[in-house]
């Protein structure tokens, strides 16, 4: 995770200090984004035991629309799944999170025609599920959280850009209800690092 944060910071620093032409405005442009990456989830608890979470693969996509030269609205839907281990027990399980993310980003127009760094935030609707080795699916409450993100788009063509982003998600704990197998609390918060591609229709 530290390596990704360092890489993004380095790219932003290089972008600010180079180039001579102003980056294109995103105003009025509509694009679609596809992304893959990973999630470092927070730990949770089940019964009286702590659930240690593994890193999970993340994938999904969404749309971006330019409101002004610097502001853009974005909606993303991603899905991640990861395993958990009950501390002091051999019992295991798997969590899944579908994140419907609504956000706004501020895009920095810098003297570099290909690089566009941005920072943003918004709301996240987190739909989660939990499955234990017994095959019993647990009911996990849906919660609403918030996120902060930072990233960069690299335009190698006017309509195509590579994207790298780091997003921190903060949300309240959700209750876990498992018939005949106990209950617990799930924390859907975490840090996501993704890489992807954007295609702009105009």
């Amino acid at each position: 995770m530290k390596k990704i944060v360092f890489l993004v910071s380095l790219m932003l620093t290089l972008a600010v200090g180079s180039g001579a032409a102003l980056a294109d405005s995103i105003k009025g442009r509509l694009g679609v984004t596809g992304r893959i990456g990973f999630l470092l989830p927070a730990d949770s608890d089940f019964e009286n035991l702590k659930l240690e979470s593994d890193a999970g693969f993340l994938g999904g996509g969404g749309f971006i629309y330019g409101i002004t030269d610097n502001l853009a609205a974005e909606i993303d839907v991603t899905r991640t799944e990861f395993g958990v281990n009950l501390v002091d027990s051999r019992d295991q399980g798997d969590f899944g999170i579908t994140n419907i993310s609504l956000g706004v980003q501020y895009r920095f127009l810098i003297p570099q025609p290909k690089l566009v760094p941005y920072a943003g935030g918004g709301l996240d609707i987190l739909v989660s599920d939990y499955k234990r080795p017994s095959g019993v699916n647990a009911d996990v409450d849906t919660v609403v959280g918030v996120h902060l993100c930072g990233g960069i788009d690299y335009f190698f063509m006017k309509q195509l850009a590579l994207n790298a982003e780091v997003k921190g998600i903060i949300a309240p704990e959700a209750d876990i209800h498992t018939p005949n197998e106990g209950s617990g609390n799930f924390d859907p918060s975490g840090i996501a690092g993704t890489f992807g591609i954007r295609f702009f229709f105009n």
Side-chain angles (χ1 to χ4, degrees):
M1 189 63 221
K2 291 182 179 179
K3 291 182 178 180
I4 292 178
V5 174
F6 173 76
L7 181 59
V8 172
S9 299
L10 180 62
M11 292 174 69
L12 292 175
T13 301
L14 291 174
V16 171
S18 61
L22 194 65
D24 287 340
S25 167
I26 196 174
K27 183 177 181 180
R29 300 185 70 188
L30 175 65
V32 61
T33 305
R35 61 178 82 243
I36 59 173
F38 63 90
L39 176 74
L40 298 177
D43 291 331
S44 302
D45 60 78
F46 192 83
E47 297 285 81
N48 295 320
L49 297 176
K50 183 179 179 181
L51 287 169
E52 289 186 339
S53 303
D54 300 326
F57 173 80
L58 183 150
F63 295 93
I64 182 172
Y65 178 75
I67 301 170
T68 69
D69 290 342
N70 298 98
L71 288 178
E74 190 168 26
I75 178 169
D76 270 330
V77 179
T78 58
R79 173 72 179 177
T80 184
E81 295 183 357
F82 53 91
V84 293
N85 298 290
L86 283 167
V87 177
D88 299 327
S89 171
R90 294 184 178 180
D91 203 358
Q92 299 176 331
D94 294 288
F95 277 108
I97 304 174
T98 299
N99 184 355
I100 303 168
S101 180
L102 309 171
V104 175
Q105 59 179 236
Y106 183 87
R107 300 173 66 85
F108 300 94
L109 298 180
I110 62 174
Q112 169 53 256
K114 293 185 176 182
L115 293 174
V116 183
Y118 64 87
L123 295 176
D124 298 80
I125 302 170
L126 301 158
V127 183
S128 307
D129 54 80
Y130 178 46
K131 185 175 182 179
R132 300 189 72 186
S134 60
V136 177
N137 293 325
D139 292 325
V140 183
D141 292 346
T142 296
V143 297
V144 176
V146 297
H147 74 262
L148 294 175
C149 67
I152 193 165
D153 287 335
Y154 174 79
F155 285 84
F156 57 93
M157 293 176 59
K158 182 179 180 181
Q159 291 180 284
L160 284 175
L162 296 176
N163 173 259
E165 182 178 282
V166 176
K167 176 187 287 187
I169 303 162
I170 302 173
E173 290 188 341
D175 291 334
I176 308 170
H177 306 283
T178 306
N180 303 320
E181 292 196 20
S183 61
N185 296 298
F186 172 54
D187 187 351
S189 303
I191 299 176
T194 59
F195 298 93
I197 189 166
R198 298 193 201 271
F199 174 78
F200 288 90
F201 297 100
N202 55 342

